[in-house]
């Protein structure tokens, strides 16, 4: 009995003490924001036909449908072209900022508003991935998805460093941003724009009031206990949302798998053959013919798809088997993206699958991207200065004029530095010698700065040693400074 109580108390402490799965939620944030961003950019030339007021599903039809089902969409607040263009462009901006992790709590709310507004405006524009994106955009609001791999995480590290130095960091952008959004939300509510579905307005007001309470406690509380209590509540909400995301992904696969089991084409092993020969799902007809040329291959893929989808929820209790099936499903979605021409559906499903990726793998993946980025920056710093000089940039000739004047002024008759002045004994030699000394000092300072930057970069890349000697940028091997 005591052992059971210890396990229960340990589980409760784990759920309340921290926000679990920071790398998984970061991948979900990046995956879904990138999917929506790429979709908006690809459909930008066709936005009028998809969601605009002049599309086949016009404003009146959308207004009647929303009036019957109570769905939330800000696009129906006005039937003007300017309002549509502004909201479409804002959706692109919100997706970019959420992808970068800037003010993730705010951007997750605005990202949800953009997704719901466009999708509920034209509900028949989608291929299945829009349903997953629709749900996940709501779940992301409840998560703390900016703990790692975000601009918020970098700002938090800088704030911790400032506190360690005894400084008191101030955040003015966050309160100002939430103040403006609160005013806009109040105006929309008073104007009657939130009279449809009660869930989204209630969610928006709840998030705004929670952020206001968080800010007030941080400013006015004299003890850390109130802020600690709010942290516990935030951790519980985050972990609950993460559990819902995992359950949603399992439900999608279990439902798809069991419905396939009931289909006669899936039972006889020929179901995969038919979509590969539909014109709508055949961007590469030759590739579809190649894959369906073997009846055995079609049967194996058909049965394998059903088996993987039905079995996946039950493999969560075994990490190794789960990782194998997860890899197979990601490969399957990648093939669907190429063969059937459904890239955004596949991206959405892969982003949903990422919640089950092992933390160790995600850390190694993040470290690999970090090293790749550092390598690109290092090569850029090394190559650009040397390329500038190696490509034959002319070396400036010794100046005979005063600083700031063109060189040909020295040979101009009647000029103060003209022939009469330059012919004085020793004057030209002294001026040339001073110019050479100035250039030598300037080159030595540049070379010393280049060497210091190169040594600093090499120390960062190879903590255990200095590494091989590398010529200074802009200097060929064996040349003197």
């Amino acid at each position: 009995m005591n052992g059971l109580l210890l396990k229960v108390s340990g589980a409760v402490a784990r759920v309340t003490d921290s926000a679990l799965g920071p790398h998984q939620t970061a991948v979900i944030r990046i995956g879904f924001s990138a999917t929506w961003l790429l979709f908006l950019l690809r459909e930008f030339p066709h936005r009028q036909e998809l969601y605009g007021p002049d599309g086949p599903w016009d404003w009146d039809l959308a207004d009647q449908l929303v009036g019957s089902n109570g769905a939330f969409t800000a696009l129906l607040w006005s039937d003007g072209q300017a309002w549509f263009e502004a909201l479409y462009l804002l959706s692109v901006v919100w997706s970019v900022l959420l992808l970068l992790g800037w003010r993730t709590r705010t951007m997750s709310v605005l990202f949800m508003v953009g997704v719901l507004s466009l999708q509920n405006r034209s509900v028949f524009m989608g291929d299945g991935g829009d349903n997953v994106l629709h749900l996940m955009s709501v779940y992301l609001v409840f998560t703390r998805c900016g703990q790692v791999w975000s601009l918020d995480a970098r700002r938090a590290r800088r704030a911790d460093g400032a506190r360690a130095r005894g400084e008191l960091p101030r955040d003015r952008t966050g309160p100002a941003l939430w103040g403006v959004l609160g005013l806009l939300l109040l105006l929309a509510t008073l104007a009657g724009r939130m009279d449809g579905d009660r869930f989204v307005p209630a969610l928006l007001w709840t998030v705004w009031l929670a952020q206001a309470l968080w800010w007030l406690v941080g400013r006015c509380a004299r003890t850390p206990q109130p802020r600690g209590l709010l942290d516990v509540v935030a951790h519980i909400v985050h972990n609950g949302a993460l559990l819902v995301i995992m359950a949603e992904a399992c439900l999608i696969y279990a439902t798809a798998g069991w419905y396939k089991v009931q289909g006669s084409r899936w039972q006889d092993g020929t179901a995969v053959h038919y979509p590969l020969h539909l014109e709508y799902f055949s961007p590469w007809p030759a590739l579809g013919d190649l894959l369906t040329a073997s009846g055995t291959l079609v049967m194996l893929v058909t049965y394998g798809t059903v088996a993987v989808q039905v079995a996946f929820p039950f493999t969560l209790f075994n990490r190794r088997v789960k990782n194998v099936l997860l890899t197979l499903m990601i490969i399957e979605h990648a093939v669907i993206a190429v063969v059937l021409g459904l890239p955004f559906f596949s991206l959405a499903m892969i982003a949903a699958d990422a919640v089950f990726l092992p933390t160790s793998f995600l850390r190694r993946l993040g470290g690999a991207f970090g090293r790749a980025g550092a390598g690109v920056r290092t090569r850029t710093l090394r190559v650009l200065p040397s390329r500038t000089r190696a490509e034959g940039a002319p070396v400036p000739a010794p100046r005979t004029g005063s600083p700031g004047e063109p060189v040909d002024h020295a040979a101009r008759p009647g000029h103060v530095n003209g022939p009469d002045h330059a012919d004085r004994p020793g004057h030209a030699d002294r001026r040339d010698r001073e110019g050479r000394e100035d250039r030598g000092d300037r080159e030595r300072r540049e070379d010393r700065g280049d060497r210091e930057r190169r040594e600093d970069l090499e120390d960062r890349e190879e903590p255990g040693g200095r590494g091989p000697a590398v010529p200074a940028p802009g200097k060929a091997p064996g040349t003197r400074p």
Side-chain angles (χ1 to χ4, degrees):
M1 188 64 180
N2 292 333
L4 179 61
L5 291 177
L6 288 176
K7 291 182 179 180
V8 172
S9 62
V12 172
R14 187 181 181 188
V15 170
T16 57
D17 288 346
S18 62
L20 302 177
H23 295 83
Q24 285 80 1
T25 50
V27 171
I28 293 173
R29 183 199 83 230
I30 295 171
F32 282 107
S33 58
T35 301
W36 185 239
L37 174 63
L38 293 175
F39 175 79
L40 294 179
L41 294 179
R42 193 196 72 168
E43 301 298 343
F44 188 81
H46 315 291
R47 63 191 185 280
Q48 297 290 344
E49 291 79 7
L50 292 176
Y51 306 111
D54 298 331
W57 190 254
D58 60 14
W59 194 90
D60 293 331
L61 291 174
D63 186 54
Q64 294 177 23
L65 180 62
V66 169
S68 61
N69 61 18
F72 172 84
T73 172
L75 275 181
L76 295 183
W77 292 358
S78 173
D79 58 352
Q81 180 69 23
W83 174 248
F84 164 73
E85 297 288 353
L87 193 54
Y88 195 95
L89 293 177
L90 284 176
S91 298
V92 173
V93 173
W94 295 336
S95 301
V96 172
L97 294 179
L98 183 62
L99 175 66
L100 298 177
W102 185 82
R103 306 288 173 177
T104 51
R105 179 67 68 186
T106 308
M107 290 303 119
S108 63
V109 176
L110 296 177
F111 177 77
M112 178 194 70
V113 171
V115 171
L116 298 184
S117 297
L118 290 173
Q119 289 189 353
N120 290 337
R121 164 64 175 81
S122 298
V123 294
F124 302 106
M125 302 296 177
D127 52 15
D130 57 326
N131 295 327
V132 180
L133 184 63
H134 190 107
L135 294 172
M136 295 300 176
S137 66
V138 178
Y139 299 153
L140 276 176
V141 175
F142 298 94
T143 63
R144 309 183 83 170
C145 54
Q147 298 178 92
V148 297
W149 301 338
S150 65
L151 297 178
D152 286 351
R154 186 180 68 173
R155 188 176 68 253
R157 290 193 298 268
R158 291 179 176 179
D160 292 340
R163 294 189 188 95
R165 295 189 300 269
E167 302 175 1
L168 185 61
R170 294 286 186 181
D171 182 17
R172 296 180 177 85
T173 304
L177 185 60
W178 279 97
V180 172
L181 293 177
L183 178 61
L184 295 178
L185 182 59
L186 178 62
L187 294 176
T189 303
L190 295 177
R193 302 301 184 181
M194 301 288 188
D195 293 340
D197 184 19
R198 297 295 182 183
F199 172 74
V200 174
L203 177 60
L204 295 177
W205 276 114
T206 301
V207 174
W208 190 89
L209 293 175
Q211 287 297 116
L213 179 62
W214 185 279
W215 180 77
L216 288 175
V217 169
R219 289 293 300 271
C220 302
R222 298 183 179 181
T223 60
Q225 283 79 10
R227 189 62 175 266
L229 177 61
L230 293 180
D231 274 329
V232 169
V233 174
H235 293 157
I236 294 175
V237 172
H238 166 89
N239 295 329
L242 187 61
L243 179 62
V244 171
I245 292 174
M246 298 171 68
E248 186 70 38
C250 291
L251 183 63
I252 290 173
Y253 284 115
T255 303
W258 286 108
Y259 269 106
K260 287 182 175 66
V261 170
Q262 302 174 33
S264 60
R265 294 292 179 264
W266 292 95
Q267 293 174 4
D268 59 26
T270 61
V272 173
H273 172 83
Y274 298 100
L276 292 176
H277 290 279
L278 292 177
E279 183 178 359
Y280 182 77
F281 296 109
S282 298
W284 318 99
L287 183 59
D289 294 339
L290 179 63
L291 293 176
T292 57
S294 172
T296 303
L297 179 61
V298 171
M299 182 187 66
L300 291 176
V301 172
T302 302
Y303 287 155
T305 300
V306 176
V308 168
Q309 292 182 351
V310 172
F312 179 74
F314 301 100
T315 62
L316 298 180
F317 303 100
N318 189 303
R319 180 177 302 178
R320 293 182 178 179
V321 178
K322 181 261 296 181
N323 291 338
V324 172
L325 290 187
L326 185 61
T327 303
L328 292 177
M329 286 194 299
I330 292 176
I331 294 175
E332 176 189 355
H333 290 304
V335 173
I336 290 174
V338 176
V339 176
L340 298 182
L342 298 173
F344 301 110
F345 166 78
S346 298
L347 285 175
M349 292 306 303
I350 291 174
D353 294 341
V355 73
F356 300 106
L357 290 175
T359 302
S360 58
F361 170 76
L362 292 177
R363 286 177 176 173
R364 290 195 297 269
L365 186 64
F369 276 104
R371 289 190 297 270
V376 171
R377 290 192 296 270
T378 302
R379 287 191 295 271
T380 302
L381 291 175
R382 289 180 178 179
V383 171
L384 288 181
S386 60
R387 182 177 298 177
T388 302
R389 294 189 180 186
E391 288 178 353
V395 178
R399 297 180 62 89
T400 57
S402 59
E405 293 182 349
V407 177
D408 57 357
H409 284 182
R412 188 178 299 171
H415 194 269
V416 67
N417 288 330
D420 295 340
H421 186 70
D423 288 339
R424 295 179 183 178
H427 181 77
D429 295 338
R430 184 172 64 253
R431 186 170 60 246
D432 294 340
R433 184 170 58 255
E434 291 174 354
R436 287 194 299 271
E437 291 174 355
D438 291 340
R439 288 194 303 274
D441 293 338
R442 194 160 52 247
E443 291 179 357
R444 282 191 292 272
R445 287 195 298 269
E446 293 175 356
D447 292 341
R448 184 167 59 251
D450 292 340
R451 285 196 301 272
E452 291 175 354
R453 286 193 297 270
R454 187 180 70 253
E455 292 172 358
D456 180 65
L457 291 172
E458 291 175 352
D459 290 340
R460 294 180 184 177
E461 293 179 349
E462 301 176 4
R466 290 285 304 277
V470 180
K475 299 291 182 181
T479 58
R480 294 184 300 173

